């Protein structure tokens, strides 16, 4: 895998937040042994018309030639790729998919983005996801009267996987309970808390919102959210909320008004069908579920109330007294889309404009669980909650063959395919190639979530550290779905919403997993290059993958394996490897003048730290 290399990191791009009209200097590294070159440069695509810019050879450092070209940012998302022409006349193209002698597609180009960037803290975050009803219960929960739809459950009761219990079983977890357990997050090293919805609904998940005016009293109301965010901020933890922009609940005040009076302004908030329409319940809904009527974003009044301006729902909870640090948007891929109508871009850009006006230091994440790249080019979403670049490739490589995969993870026919390490690398590369670099850095690396089975349920023996090690070391925001650090298992998304087993931290079956999570988060925290550095793949086999995250200041070499494995690559791929110091795991690194070998006796994750990449300075 010793080949010319470029990515969006500071080693190769002079600045990643350009304005339109700016010139950005981009750099290419070519290994000494690649062969003589007659022409090196970039092929940009301004206004969808190709433009070529010849690069200048800056010099050679540690066996790598460094080339530099200047690219003018002519469009908000400006595409470019590299072209190398050998002395024999053969063309070699480099895109985000890698090297090819065949001209690549525009969809796989590198990108410079002139839209407002994510907040500086986004890429370095470690996220912890909480489902409020199942995380922790404060004493005040004992005094709250449950609504008629709720089925009460004791904290030790098993999760009911069948209707009506799956959506109506209520354990009484609340926001003060989360606040009282924040020290657990601090001990893990977490600094970004993601809360699933906190507005009242007619279910335990609250994705069927009954209003957006106030926090659910079952969770402690507005004051409890204010207390939680203040306490989290005092500990250096940011907090983001969860909004459903695709639909409300059937019990929502807006939908009730719309249903009661065809002349009500709220009538335009939804898609009501004419009499005799084939859909039986009289209105459009999420996947035909009657309790989740779909929003019609042609309504300007809906936009004003929900997403646009200082009086909107989006704005309200970012301001005092709540001070949320951003939003994750549920079903972002379906929002504003129905048949021939597509208002998705208008909606997401409006949400982001509102956030910028209220507090520009906030993050906007969108759920799009399949191939998300088309919507995530930097115009609104800072990052994606998606399963194609990371989650599904990791599962396919590290789960037992034929493992079931119910819930929302999105595997075809509900089964996990069996990948080799090479397949994992190919899938990861294919699905990240469509994203701008800075979008990758703010995209969630989730092993699992509240909508999926738990990763540990069918993981190959010993592979949980390898899986979470990849989450903390690949570009993106590592995510811990609450309970994973306790080794919880579940066969689908509903079953994964297990009450936290507080008090089991010292159990022999729990302590090793908890320690693995803590140590891997600490690795991420102590090596910032894992958050913002570039990435080069070093070796890939059936059972192991190796790569290096790198910057001018430091490098971290990673080996993740599902079994005993050894990988070797040319010494030129990793100059100075003999000085590497192991900082995580049990693997071995052996370096000679000609090669570097990484090996491990069994499944696991190992990392080594090195000094930074020596690079010519920018002119």
């Amino acid at each position: 895998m010793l080949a010319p290399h470029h990515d969006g990191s500071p080693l190769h791009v002079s600045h990643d937040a350009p304005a339109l009209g700016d010139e950005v200097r981009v750099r290419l590294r070519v290994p000494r042994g690649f062969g003589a070159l007659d022409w090196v440069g970039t092929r940009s695509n301004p206004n969808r018309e190709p433009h070529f810019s010849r690069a200048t050879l800056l010099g050679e450092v540690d066996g790598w030639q460094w080339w530099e070209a200047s690219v003018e940012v002519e469009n908000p998302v400006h595409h470019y790729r590299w072209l190398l022409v050998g002395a024999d006349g053969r063309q070699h193209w480099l895109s985000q998919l890698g090297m090819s002698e065949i001209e690549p597609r525009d969809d796989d180009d590198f990108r410079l983005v002139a839209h407002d960037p994510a907040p500086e803290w986004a890429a370095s975050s470690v996220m912890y996801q909480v489902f409020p009803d199942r995380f922790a219960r404060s004493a005040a929960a004992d005094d709250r009267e449950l609504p008629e739809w709720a089925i009460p459950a004791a904290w030790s009761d098993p999760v009911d996987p069948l209707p009506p219990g799956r959506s109506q079983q209520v354990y009484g977890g609340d926001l003060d309970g989360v606040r009282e357990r924040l020290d657990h997050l601090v001990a893990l090293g977490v600094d970004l808390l993601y809360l699933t919805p906190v507005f009242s609904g007619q279910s335990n998940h609250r994705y069927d919102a009954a209003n957006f005016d106030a926090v659910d009293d079952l969770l402690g109301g507005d004051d409890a959210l204010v207390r939680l965010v203040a306490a989290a901020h005092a500990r250096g933890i940011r907090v983001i909320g969860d909004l459903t922009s695709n639909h409300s609940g059937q019990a929502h005040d807006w939908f009730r008004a719309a249903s009661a009076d065809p002349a009500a302004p709220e009538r335009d908030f939804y898609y009501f069908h004419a009499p005799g329409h084939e859909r039986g319940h009289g209105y459009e809904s999420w996947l035909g579920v009657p309790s989740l009527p779909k929003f019609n974003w042609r309504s300007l009044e809906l936009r004003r109330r929900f997403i646009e301006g200082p009086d909107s729902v989006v704005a309200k909870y970012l301001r005092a007294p709540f001070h949320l640090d951003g939003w994750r948007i549920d079903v972002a891929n379906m929002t504003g889309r129905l048949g021939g109508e597509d208002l998705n871009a208008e909606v997401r850009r409006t949400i982001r404009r509102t956030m910028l006006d209220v507090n520009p230091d906030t993050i906007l994440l969108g759920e799009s669980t399949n191939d998300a790249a088309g919507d995530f080019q930097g115009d609104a979403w800072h990052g994606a909650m998606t399963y194609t670049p990371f989650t599904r490739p990791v599962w396919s490589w590290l789960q037992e063959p034929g493992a079931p995969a119910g819930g929302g993870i999105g595997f075809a026919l509900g089964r996990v395919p069996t990948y080799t390490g090479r397949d994992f690398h190919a899938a990861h590369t294919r699905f990240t190639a469509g994203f701008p670099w800075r979008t990758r850095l703010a995209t969630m690396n989730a092993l699992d979530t509240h909508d999926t089975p738990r990763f540990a349920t069918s993981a190959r023996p010993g592979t949980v550290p390898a899986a979470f090690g990849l989450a903390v070391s690949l570009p993106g925001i590592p995510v811990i779905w609450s309970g994973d650090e306790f080794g919880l298992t579940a066969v689908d998304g509903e079953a994964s919403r297990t009450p936290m087993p507080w008090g089991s931290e010292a159990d022999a079956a729990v302590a090793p997993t908890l320690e693995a999570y803590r140590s891997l988060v600490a690795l991420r925290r102590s090596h910032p290059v894992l958050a913002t550095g570039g990435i080069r793949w070093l070796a890939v086999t059936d059972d192991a993958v190796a790569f290096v995250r790198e910057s001018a200041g430091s490098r971290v070499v990673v080996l993740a394996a599902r079994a005993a494995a050894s990988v070797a690559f040319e010494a030129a791929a990793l100059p100075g490897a003999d000085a590497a110091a192991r900082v995580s795991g049990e693997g071995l690194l052996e370096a000679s003048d000609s090669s570097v070998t990484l090996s491990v006796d069994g499944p696991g994750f190992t990392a080594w730290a090195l000094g930074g990449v020596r690079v010519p300075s920018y002119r």
Side-chain angles (χ1 to χ4, degrees):
M1 306 187 84
L2 183 61
H5 179 75
H6 176 80
D7 58 43
S9 71
L11 275 177
H12 301 94
V13 177
S14 60
H15 58 294
D16 70 348
L20 284 175
D22 283 357
E23 288 202 356
V24 176
R25 295 183 303 280
V26 294
R27 290 186 166 187
L28 174 73
R29 297 154 71 181
V30 180
R32 179 187 297 154
F34 186 74
L37 295 169
D38 276 355
W39 196 94
V40 176
T42 59
R43 182 270 199 190
S44 295
N45 199 26
N47 307 310
R48 302 296 176 94
E49 185 67 21
H51 173 77
F52 291 84
S53 177
R54 190 162 193 163
T56 300
L57 177 61
L58 299 180
E60 183 175 311
V61 180
D62 291 334
W64 292 83
Q65 292 181 351
W66 287 80
W67 297 80
E68 180 178 285
S70 182
V71 176
E72 181 182 353
V73 181
E74 297 188 53
N75 301 117
V77 181
H78 188 98
H79 288 233
Y80 69 99
R81 66 188 69 147
W82 288 91
L83 173 63
L84 301 83
V85 181
D88 58 2
R90 296 175 67 182
Q91 294 184 351
H92 307 269
W93 297 91
L94 177 62
S95 71
Q96 294 204 99
L97 271 181
M99 291 294 295
S100 172
E101 295 188 7
I102 300 170
E103 184 175 358
R105 304 181 311 153
D106 291 352
D107 286 349
D108 300 321
D109 280 346
F110 301 101
R111 294 160 175 82
L112 298 169
V113 180
H115 296 294
D116 292 306
E120 289 186 8
W121 50 265
S124 61
S125 298
V126 176
M127 179 185 287
Y128 191 88
Q129 183 189 3
V130 162
F131 190 88
D133 183 60
R134 310 291 164 84
F135 186 70
R137 178 184 172 111
S138 74
D142 295 337
D143 299 326
R144 295 187 187 120
E145 184 176 345
L146 295 182
E148 291 184 4
W149 58 263
I151 301 172
W155 203 254
S156 59
D157 287 350
V159 172
D160 186 348
L162 301 175
R166 64 187 292 154
S167 295
Q168 297 178 7
Q169 190 178 33
V170 172
Y171 286 81
D174 57 11
L175 298 181
D176 281 320
V178 179
R179 177 176 56 82
E180 291 166 358
R181 293 288 185 173
L182 285 175
D183 287 344
H184 173 71
L185 276 63
V186 173
L188 278 174
V190 166
D191 63 356
L192 181 58
L193 170 60
Y194 155 38
L195 298 170
T196 60
V198 297
F199 306 108
S200 63
Q202 292 188 317
S203 68
N204 50 38
H205 54 71
R206 298 181 173 85
Y207 285 102
D208 58 343
N211 69 73
F212 297 113
D213 296 330
V215 174
D216 193 344
D217 287 337
L218 281 179
L219 297 179
D222 287 359
D223 290 344
L225 180 59
V226 172
R227 288 191 295 269
L228 169 58
V229 175
H233 285 175
R235 291 166 170 81
I237 299 173
R238 292 180 173 87
V239 184
I240 64 172
D242 200 337
L243 278 180
T244 52
S245 61
N246 180 71
H247 55 263
S248 72
Q250 190 177 31
H252 199 286
D253 297 340
W254 297 342
F255 188 73
R256 288 180 184 273
S259 300
D261 181 4
E266 292 84 0
R267 187 81 174 183
D268 292 338
F269 292 12
Y270 301 91
Y271 294 93
F272 285 92
H273 300 147
H277 192 279
E278 63 182 15
R279 294 183 186 273
H281 47 265
Y283 51 88
E284 199 67 37
S285 61
W286 177 73
L287 298 182
V289 178
S291 62
L292 302 173
K294 183 176 177 67
F295 284 129
N296 180 352
W297 285 105
R298 287 177 296 177
S299 170
L300 298 182
E301 178 63 12
L302 173 61
R303 297 187 188 197
R304 186 191 67 79
R305 292 193 199 181
F306 197 178
I307 64 172
E308 188 166 17
D311 298 323
S312 64
V313 173
V314 165
K316 174 180 177 178
Y317 294 93
L318 304 181
R319 297 195 312 262
F322 302 101
H323 296 297
L324 286 178
D325 298 289
W327 291 108
R328 176 264 192 189
I329 303 297
D330 185 57
V331 200
N333 56 304
M334 297 181 73
T335 294
R337 290 183 169 129
L338 182 64
E341 186 170 79
D342 190 345
L343 302 174
N344 188 276
E346 291 184 35
V347 175
R348 67 182 187 247
R349 291 169 186 169
T350 300
I351 293 172
R352 187 58 195 150
R353 279 199 306 271
T354 297
M355 295 174 68
L356 284 168
D357 289 343
V358 176
N359 181 4
D361 195 35
T362 52
I363 193 169
L364 179 60
L365 303 175
E367 181 192 29
S368 184
T369 57
N370 294 292
D371 185 2
D375 289 342
F376 287 77
Q377 294 300 303
D379 63 341
W381 314 119
H382 293 132
M385 180 180 183
T386 183
Y387 300 138
T388 49
F390 178 78
T391 312
R392 295 210 291 258
V394 168
W395 279 55
S396 299
W397 183 43
L398 298 181
Q399 294 275 294
E400 294 281 13
I409 196 168
F411 280 112
L413 306 180
R415 308 295 295 186
V416 181
T418 299
Y419 280 5
T420 65
R422 295 179 177 86
D423 296 330
F424 160 77
H425 169 260
H428 175 73
T429 302
R430 175 181 298 173
F431 285 106
T432 57
F435 291 99
W437 174 258
R438 73 187 198 193
T439 304
R440 285 183 67 183
L441 297 186
T443 287
M444 294 165 59
N445 288 345
L447 284 183
D448 44 30
T449 71
H450 68 295
D451 281 333
T452 75
R454 298 270 185 179
F455 174 82
T457 308
S458 300
R460 293 172 184 251
T463 59
V464 168
F468 189 63
L470 288 170
V472 303
S473 58
L474 286 170
I477 298 175
V479 179
I480 302 172
W481 161 223
S482 56
D484 279 354
E485 73 274 31
F486 287 80
L488 296 184
T489 60
V491 296
D492 66 19
E494 300 288 344
S496 78
R497 302 168 188 178
T498 311
M500 286 287 282
W502 299 114
S504 66
E505 292 88 335
D507 290 358
V510 172
T513 302
L514 184 57
E515 178 53 32
Y517 272 81
R518 286 173 174 165
S519 64
L520 288 168
V521 173
L523 175 73
R524 168 88 172 202
R525 286 265 170 262
S526 58
H527 297 278
V529 70
L530 293 176
T532 58
I535 181 170
R536 273 192 308 117
W537 292 86
L538 299 171
V540 174
T541 68
D542 285 359
D543 290 327
V545 299
F547 56 87
V548 58
R549 299 295 305 276
E550 52 190 3
S551 70
S554 65
R555 289 174 289 170
V556 172
V557 179
V558 164
L559 175 68
R562 67 181 183 183
S566 177
V567 301
F569 48 89
E570 293 181 54
L574 194 66
D578 56 339
R582 191 172 61 200
V583 290
S584 179
E586 301 297 329
L588 297 177
L589 183 155
E590 298 173 286
S592 70
D593 291 341
S594 60
S595 66
V596 177
T597 301
L598 309 177
S599 60
V600 66
D601 289 339
F605 177 88
T606 305
W608 296 264
L610 280 165
V613 176
R614 295 204 304 147
V615 53
S617 61
Y618 281 110
R619 292 178 297 161

